[in-house]
Amino acid sequence: MLHKEAGKIEQNGLIGRRLLNVREAALYLGLEVDTIYKKSRLREVPCVKVGRALRFDVKALERYIEQHTIETID
């Protein structure tokens, strides 16, 4: 079951953050950290600046994946 409260996501009793750091975003997308920095600098991957740090919204990353999914030919 999924509950949302004040920017946190509760899933199966575990609290997760909505914003990921660069390393977590790299793991989420299966890319290298350097690639995440490059793609964010080129505005290819959606990101949020929090002070000097980059953060990545899980929902925006999900949309990014959906938009870059290559459909199969039937």
Side-chain angles (χ1 to χ4, degrees):
M1 188 167 183
L2 186 66
H3 297 286
K4 298 177 187 176
E5 183 181 319
K8 292 186 178 180
I9 299 172
E10 182 178 345
Q11 189 172 8
N12 297 329
L14 300 174
I15 300 293
R17 296 182 325 267
R18 180 170 168 181
L19 294 178
L20 305 177
N21 63 32
V22 176
R23 186 182 54 78
E24 293 165 335
L27 288 171
Y28 188 82
L29 294 175
L31 298 171
E32 296 292 327
V33 171
D34 290 342
T35 304
I36 295 294
Y37 276 118
K38 180 179 179 182
K39 287 187 172 292
S40 63
R41 187 175 63 250
L42 297 172
R43 297 180 184 217
E44 294 176 10
V45 172
C47 63
V48 178
K49 286 279 282 195
V50 180
R52 294 177 64 191
L54 286 179
R55 294 293 182 256
F56 299 84
D57 185 332
V58 172
K59 292 180 182 182
L61 293 178
E62 288 173 0
R63 284 192 303 273
Y64 173 82
I65 292 169
E66 290 172 8
Q67 292 170 353
H68 290 84
T69 297
I70 299 171
E71 300 295 327
T72 59
I73 299 174
D74 293 330

